[in-house]
Amino acid sequence: MKNYICEQLGIDVPVFAFTHSPDVVIAVSNAGGMGVLGAAGMGPEKLDQALQKITEACPGKSFGVDLILPNNYVGKEQGGLDINSLKTQIPEGHKSFLEDLLKQYDVAEIDADQANAFTSTFGQSVTYKGARTLAEIALSYPIKLLVNALGTFPAEFREKAHSLGIKTGALVGQVKHAIRQKEAGVDVIIAQGYEAGGHTGDIATMALVPQVVDAVAPIPVLAAGGVADGRQLAAALALGAQGAWTGSVWLMSKEAETHPVVKEKFKEADASQTLRSRSTTGKHARQLRSAWTDAWENPDNPNPLPMPLHSMLIDNAQRRIKEDANQGRKGGKELINYFVSQNVGLFTEERPAAEILEDMVKECDEVLGRIGGLANSKTNKS
Ligand SMILES: Cc1cc2nc3c(=O)[nH]c(=O)nc-3n(C[C@H](O)[C@H](O)[C@H](O)COP(=O)(O)O)c2cc1C
């Protein structure tokens, strides 16, 4: 299944695995795909440690890093405000709503000093200054691909990456954004449809991918959103994509650091149980419905804050919820959720990441063979 993008990036199969878990990057890259580490939310020290581990565990293999630098966020004019200036912009009403929600679900306290910290690694990494620090670390490792989600790829990062022979990529949810990324000199465009887990727009993969392929040719396009098995990988190739950029499927891999209660919820969920909600980052992101999303989607309650204020507001609450769920407590289990795609109904068991990749590629080959057979049989009849 080796094609142009595989040759460009030194991989055996055109499957890109976005993940926050370094062990998933290692497993996928060693199995011939490309693991891409999501750096937003890691902070400089954690990113450095993760890349050191991956570099040692994947000698000679291709892997990448993904940043989130949106076009719009609070404090953009200044390249990102410091934590203290941002903290003053979090309304008291939001703080008390959140505190009441945690009380209502009897979520246990954790480290009292943190209760009013309102710091968030994610909140800091999605600003220009934060993303630049992460990009500099990423570019000091032998990565093959640097990707940006949400915003136009910054010229400064692109020039540095290209001078090191590193390709650049960007996620888009609309044709006009794809054209903007082409003009910004990006090497690979990732057309991500509505089905996807995480930040997503409102156009479906099936409609978006062919339109982006046509608009940015000859730049290679990866299809993202709704690809978790070989049938869907074959569909992505049929739409004109060079490969698939996948995220949710790896959350159920054995190597993933997904919260165990979340994995159990995914096993029970069906495709109708996700929604696009601003309740986790302040921008629309597809996630599993839970008491948390219900509370934030309720029109009687405050609206989520813009990025990065919302992540700062909820950072400590989210840690409390995870810990509460860890302890098997009811409130935490009801509130906890995570980003996931509409493919969640396919996620019934945990499997090693290499096996997921191998089965995806094998099934894709079978599907393409079967479809080729159908085309031939029609030709034979006519
Ligand atoms: C848990 C999770 C976190 C994500 N975080 C990011 C991120 O930080 N940066 C990014 O570019 N995309 C992020 N995404 C989107 C993925 O890169 C990818 O486009 C998407 O998962 C593809 O659709 P799928 O979920 O149907 O596989 C995330 C997706 C998930 C499921």
Side-chain angles (χ1 to χ4, degrees):
M1 194 178 283
K2 232 174 170 156
N3 60 7
Y4 172 78
I5 196 95
C6 293
E7 279 159 22
Q8 289 288 302
L9 292 167
I11 50 180
D12 298 328
V13 290
V15 177
F16 294 71
F18 171 91
T19 173
H20 289 292
S21 305
D23 287 340
V24 175
V25 174
I26 293 167
V28 170
S29 289
N30 278 332
M34 182 180 273
V36 182
L37 186 68
M42 283 197 135
E45 209 176 308
K46 207 168 160 202
L47 177 64
D48 196 43
Q49 283 165 4
L51 288 174
Q52 207 166 329
K53 179 178 176 183
I54 295 167
T55 305
E56 281 166 20
C58 292
K61 298 291 182 183
S62 298
F63 57 92
V65 169
D66 174 285
L67 308 168
I68 297 187
L69 182 53
N71 278 338
N72 295 307
Y73 56 92
V74 175
K76 185 182 174 186
E77 301 71 30
Q78 298 87 342
L81 293 172
D82 63 55
I83 285 291
N84 288 330
S85 319
L86 286 169
K87 258 194 238 175
T88 60
Q89 300 193 42
I90 299 179
E92 288 304 319
H94 279 71
K95 293 181 198 170
S96 53
F97 162 69
L98 191 52
E99 208 36 57
D100 289 348
L101 181 68
L102 297 179
K103 267 199 201 110
Q104 183 193 335
Y105 283 87
D106 190 27
V107 176
E109 288 278 357
I110 48 170
D111 46 6
D113 326 341
Q114 283 292 323
N116 278 310
F118 298 112
T119 55
S120 153
T121 319
F122 180 85
Q124 291 166 68
S125 63
V126 297
T127 65
Y128 198 89
K129 285 178 196 157
R132 182 200 270 149
T133 307
L134 297 179
E136 277 167 5
I137 294 168
L139 293 169
S140 71
Y141 283 90
I143 61 168
K144 290 283 190 324
L145 183 65
L146 183 68
V147 173
N148 184 35
L150 295 184
T152 310
F153 204 98
E156 180 194 351
F157 301 0
R158 187 203 63 227
E159 281 160 18
K160 179 87 193 289
H162 284 171
S163 72
L164 295 164
I166 295 166
K167 302 276 186 212
T168 55
L171 272 80
V172 300
Q174 291 189 38
V175 174
K176 67 178 178 199
H177 297 160
I179 293 168
R180 210 179 291 152
Q181 299 290 2
K182 181 182 181 182
E183 287 164 1
V186 165
D187 303 299
V188 182
I189 306 255
I190 300 148
Q192 189 203 254
Y194 172 83
E195 302 91 317
H199 294 115
T200 178
D202 53 12
I203 303 173
T205 305
M206 182 82 124
L208 180 69
V209 173
Q211 295 182 56
V212 171
V213 168
D214 290 349
V216 303
I219 296 181
V221 173
L222 301 175
V227 181
D229 68 17
R231 296 167 294 182
Q232 293 163 327
L233 175 57
L237 298 173
L239 295 175
Q242 281 276 321
W245 173 275
T246 55
S248 296
V249 67
W250 312 104
L251 296 172
M252 284 300 281
S253 66
K254 287 208 186 303
E255 293 87 345
E257 294 164 14
T258 314
H259 195 292
V261 173
V262 169
K263 277 189 173 170
E264 287 310 309
K265 283 189 158 188
F266 285 173
K267 284 184 198 165
E268 300 299 317
D270 67 40
S272 69
Q273 284 167 286
T274 72
L275 78 166
R276 283 169 77 239
S277 165
R278 291 181 52 227
S279 62
T280 304
T281 66
K283 286 193 189 282
H284 282 109
R286 183 170 301 287
Q287 52 203 283
L288 194 69
R289 184 179 167 191
S290 76
W292 174 266
T293 56
D294 286 352
W296 283 103
E297 293 300 314
N298 182 340
D300 296 337
N301 294 336
N303 279 325
L305 297 170
M307 195 180 259
L309 298 181
H310 197 74
S311 319
M312 293 176 65
L313 168 72
I314 69 167
D315 192 47
N316 192 52
Q318 284 287 331
R319 289 193 299 116
R320 278 175 63 182
I321 291 167
K322 282 180 199 152
E323 187 49 35
D324 211 58
N326 242 349
Q327 302 297 328
R329 290 167 58 93
K330 189 164 174 282
K333 284 166 85 174
E334 284 180 40
L335 286 161
I336 199 168
N337 80 332
Y338 201 40
F339 305 120
V340 73
S341 81
Q342 292 180 326
N343 268 335
V344 68
L346 292 172
F347 304 156
T348 52
E349 55 174 354
E350 279 184 70
R351 291 189 301 145
E355 190 182 300
I356 295 174
L357 180 67
E358 199 182 308
D359 285 356
M360 195 186 290
V361 172
K362 194 166 152 232
E363 187 181 35
C364 178
D365 275 338
E366 283 165 11
V367 169
L368 294 176
R370 201 165 65 230
I371 294 173
L374 287 177
N376 288 339
S377 65
K378 194 169 174 205
T379 315
N380 291 342
K381 271 188 211 148
S382 59

